Amino acid sequence: MKLKFHSLTCLLAGLLLFTNVHAQTPKFNVIAFYTGKSDQAHISFVHEANKWFPEMAAKYNFRYDSTNNWKNLNPEFLKKYQVVIFLDTRPEDSAQRAAFRQYMENNGAWMGFHFSAFALTPSMFPQNWDWYHETFLGSGQYGSNTWRPTSAVLRVESKHPVTKGLPKTFSASPNEWYRWSNDLRKNKDIQILLAIDSTSFPLGTGPKQHEIWHSGYYPVVWTNRNYRMVYFNMGHNDIDYEHHTNHDLSHTFDNEVQNRLILNTLLWLGGSRRGFHAKEQRSKEAKEF
């Protein structure tokens, strides 16, 4: 009897250990690249993101790593990760760019924020990467922006797993909103997920008049049907520049609905893709949704 009891105890202990180990195994791994050196508003967002994402990782059982070493953007390093995030910039090195394109064309997943899509010729970030800005993002060059950072009412434009459970419209966190050189509505590969609602106008406070938008169509979140990706225009906190304190006046992740959108996106990007090309997987998920 003692032997049977001991065997049963060992079996239960083994099963419990297996269950705990299995439960602690991350569902997927995320790597976030950032620079965090230019513009206090972007630096503030990066610090905030690198605090919020680990909290979500602990809650939803995925692994979140971050690095400011862009040399890690190489095929060997990326093998460990199912999702790549660009928090504030893009790679500038040709080998890193090639590695990222290879990763995405081999069914990798990507989420980008705000300045990661910026390109303007001439500037420190010229449009010198056609695949990324024209094909992948579809947006082309930066056109203009609102100022100062203010909230906008965003409107859900199309059904997609990442917009599931969102209200038709909601107020976003304060942000510097971008306009692009390309009209994304004319790109058959682009699915616009959210745009600025007309109730937001006038958007921005100036002081320059061209920094205040009074009308127009401005997409702020979209995906490319040929890749597993989502771009967010959000990612620029309001900062007290006027009094030279550089204190945060707003936070991107202080918005429950917007956080749900970002989390929906990350969980969708990190979901199972085994045996599927990105386009085939998206078609399947669209039917289920």
Side-chain angles (χ1 to χ4, degrees):
M1 176 66 78
K2 288 182 179 180
L3 182 60
K4 288 183 179 180
F5 180 76
H6 178 73
S7 299
L8 180 60
T9 302
C10 290
L11 177 61
L12 290 174
L15 287 172
L16 182 61
L17 178 62
F18 174 81
T19 300
N20 288 338
V21 171
H22 183 70
Q24 293 170 4
T25 302
K27 295 177 181 177
F28 57 90
N29 299 324
V30 180
I31 179 65
F33 288 87
Y34 67 93
T35 301
K37 291 182 178 180
S38 178
D39 196 324
Q40 184 58 37
H42 301 162
I43 295 170
S44 170
F45 168 75
V46 166
H47 289 166
E48 187 186 0
N50 279 331
K51 179 181 178 181
W52 186 81
F53 278 111
E55 292 173 355
M56 295 303 102
K59 187 174 181 179
Y60 292 94
N61 194 29
F62 61 87
R63 176 179 172 180
Y64 178 82
D65 297 327
S66 61
T67 178
N68 61 1
N69 182 2
W70 286 87
K71 292 181 180 179
N72 285 327
L73 194 63
N74 64 72
E76 190 62 31
F77 184 83
L78 293 178
K79 284 180 181 179
K80 300 180 289 184
Y81 297 97
Q82 288 71 54
V83 182
V84 168
I85 299 177
F86 290 175
L87 288 177
D88 65 338
T89 46
R90 63 182 190 183
E92 299 300 322
D93 178 81
S94 59
Q96 295 165 13
R97 290 180 171 186
F100 177 67
R101 179 173 179 175
Q102 179 185 7
Y103 173 81
M104 292 307 304
E105 292 181 344
N106 283 278
N107 208 22
W110 176 85
M111 175 191 295
F113 289 93
H114 194 61
F115 198 72
S116 66
F118 183 91
L120 179 63
T121 302
S123 77
M124 291 179 61
F125 301 90
Q127 204 301 66
N128 57 6
W129 191 9
D130 281 350
W131 172 81
Y132 182 73
H133 294 287
E134 298 291 340
T135 302
F136 182 67
L137 285 166
S139 51
Q141 293 197 76
Y142 158 90
S144 65
N145 62 269
T146 59
W147 193 258
R148 62 175 312 119
T150 51
S151 176
V153 177
L154 305 185
R155 181 180 67 250
V156 175
E157 293 290 86
S158 57
K159 287 187 175 181
H160 189 280
V162 309
T163 61
K164 190 172 184 179
L166 297 184
K168 182 62 178 176
T169 61
F170 67 92
S171 295
S173 298
N175 188 53
E176 173 194 50
W177 304 101
Y178 283 164
R179 177 180 66 84
W180 306 97
S181 61
N182 293 347
D183 186 345
L184 290 170
R185 294 171 294 183
K186 297 179 179 179
N187 189 331
K188 62 180 177 58
D189 294 328
I190 298 299
Q191 182 179 2
I192 298 171
L193 303 178
L194 284 89
I196 292 175
D197 190 73
S198 60
T199 57
S200 299
F201 301 131
L203 184 60
T205 60
K208 298 176 183 178
Q209 285 303 305
H210 71 267
E211 297 170 333
I212 305 173
W213 294 349
H214 296 274
S215 63
Y217 183 82
Y218 305 98
V220 295
V221 180
W222 66 84
T223 185
N224 186 320
R225 293 182 174 92
N226 297 318
Y227 300 93
R228 197 173 184 89
M229 61 82 79
V230 176
Y231 170 74
F232 292 85
N233 192 196
M234 301 78 145
H236 183 114
N237 292 339
D238 192 12
I239 301 294
D240 183 13
Y241 292 121
E242 288 75 12
H243 300 95
H244 308 290
T245 69
N246 280 352
H247 288 165
D248 296 352
L249 300 179
S250 72
H251 295 97
T252 299
F253 296 97
D254 274 354
N255 187 301
E256 183 179 347
V257 178
Q258 187 170 284
N259 287 354
R260 190 188 315 163
L261 169 67
I262 295 171
L263 185 60
N264 279 356
T265 300
L266 190 56
L267 296 178
W268 174 68
L269 291 173
S272 176
R273 305 181 293 288
R274 194 173 302 163
F276 289 92
H277 182 273
K279 185 184 290 187
E280 295 170 331
Q281 175 70 352
R282 267 188 296 279
S283 176
K284 175 178 181 292
E285 289 169 334
K287 290 177 182 178
E288 291 175 349
F289 179 72

